Amino acid sequence: MRRSSTPYLIKRLSKIINQWYVQRFIAPQFDSLGSIPEIAHPRSLVIFGRNIHLGKYAQIICAKDNCVRFTSWPSKQADAEIIIGDFCLISPGVRISAAKSIRIGDNCMFAANVIISDSDWHGIYNRIRPFRCTKSVVIENNVWLGERVIVNKGVTIGENSVVGAGSIVTKSIPANSVAAGNPARIIKIINPKRRMLKRELLFKDAEHYFYNQDQLDKYMLGNNGWWNWLRALLSPNRND
């Protein structure tokens, strides 16, 4: 569709239903949850395993054709863990799979189809079961991973760093770096003294932020009529 014909009240009702669904069916799957997250298409969020923690004011954008997946696999030694900090943005297709530990800091942004895994899942010579092929992953505060970035086991990505789209991270990246490539290499240094606006700023006054989001919906959709919306669903034309 070229534009949304959805009436504002339908969009508002959809948000209320989504919030109820998240609170009823999604929230209990986390071992801890800072606040009820904003999740687009929450039925496309797949959570498996224990020790999965999500901080406050998370925004998770799922898509019907591109699920977001958090998976922690148990072992004989201990259950794996996934810990995600506050104010994080997670886009469609992100997959986080832990056999030991994946820790993600505050204000992180993951673009579409990012993959983070702390294990090779099978040994080179023993391909029947995992054997000494797992190392923890740490992603520090305010890290931005571009589209289709792959983060491998044993990697630490330092605070404020950016990893370019399509990169494969096989070794740790220091703080305040821009890295790109396969394997990812540092191509630029970020000035840590320069003022940086982080996602937490959006929620400094959370009530005001959510009010503005609602007012934006009302402005964009307020003139959409019910009959035109039904017609667009049943018989769309070039104006839709």
Side-chain angles (χ1 to χ4, degrees):
M1 307 294 281
R2 299 181 182 212
R3 61 181 296 274
S4 175
S5 298
T6 306
Y8 165 74
L9 290 177
I10 292 293
K11 180 69 176 291
R12 179 67 179 155
L13 179 61
S14 176
K15 283 188 172 182
I16 292 171
I17 292 171
N18 275 353
Q19 288 172 351
W20 172 83
Y21 182 90
V22 169
Q23 190 162 7
R24 176 65 180 85
F25 296 104
I26 300 295
Q29 298 183 63
F30 289 98
D31 284 71
S32 67
L33 188 61
S35 61
I36 299 301
E38 287 186 275
I39 304 178
H41 299 287
R43 293 159 189 81
S44 297
L45 174 60
V46 180
I47 304 170
F48 176 84
R50 299 180 180 276
N51 299 323
I52 300 177
H53 306 264
L54 183 64
K56 61 185 179 181
Y57 297 118
Q59 292 181 308
I60 303 174
I61 306 169
C62 305
K64 293 178 181 178
D65 61 344
N66 205 6
C67 296
V68 172
R69 296 178 181 271
F70 302 148
T71 306
S72 67
W73 290 97
S75 68
K76 291 182 179 180
Q77 288 74 31
D79 288 339
E81 65 175 10
I82 297 173
I83 300 175
I84 302 172
D86 301 334
F87 313 111
C88 289
L89 172 66
I90 297 172
S91 302
V94 168
R95 193 171 78 218
I96 302 174
S97 304
K100 185 177 182 182
S101 175
I102 296 175
R103 291 177 173 256
I104 296 165
D106 300 335
N107 296 297
C108 289
M109 302 192 304
F110 299 159
N113 301 306
V114 164
I115 297 175
I116 305 169
S117 175
D118 66 359
S119 180
D120 295 332
W121 303 105
H122 298 282
I124 293 176
Y125 297 102
N126 184 349
R127 301 189 184 186
I128 298 174
R129 62 182 179 85
F131 182 70
R132 296 181 182 174
C133 59
T134 299
K135 292 182 180 178
S136 299
V137 170
V138 177
I139 298 176
E140 296 182 353
N141 295 338
N142 206 39
V143 167
W144 177 11
L145 303 182
E147 187 167 356
R148 296 189 182 276
V149 166
I150 298 176
V151 178
N152 290 327
K153 69 176 186 179
V155 162
T156 295
I157 300 178
E159 187 170 3
N160 300 327
S161 288
V162 179
V163 181
S167 301
I168 300 180
V169 185
T170 60
K171 295 182 180 179
S172 294
I173 296 171
N176 302 303
S177 302
V178 177
N182 179 12
R185 295 181 176 87
I186 297 172
I187 59 174
K188 185 178 180 178
I189 300 300
I190 296 172
N191 181 2
K193 296 182 180 180
R194 183 170 175 175
R195 185 186 179 211
M196 186 174 294
L197 301 181
K198 303 177 182 179
R199 285 185 52 79
E200 61 190 40
L201 185 62
L202 290 172
F203 303 97
K204 187 175 182 180
D205 184 347
E207 185 176 344
H208 182 66
Y209 168 79
F210 291 118
Y211 173 79
N212 280 345
Q213 294 297 105
D214 182 65
Q215 292 301 301
L216 180 61
D217 284 340
K218 187 177 292 187
Y219 173 76
M220 297 296 294
L221 306 175
N223 292 326
N224 289 347
W226 291 81
W227 289 114
N228 189 56
W229 171 60
L230 292 172
R231 180 204 52 76
L233 290 177
L234 298 173
S235 181
N237 59 39
R238 291 184 179 180
N239 293 323
D240 297 322

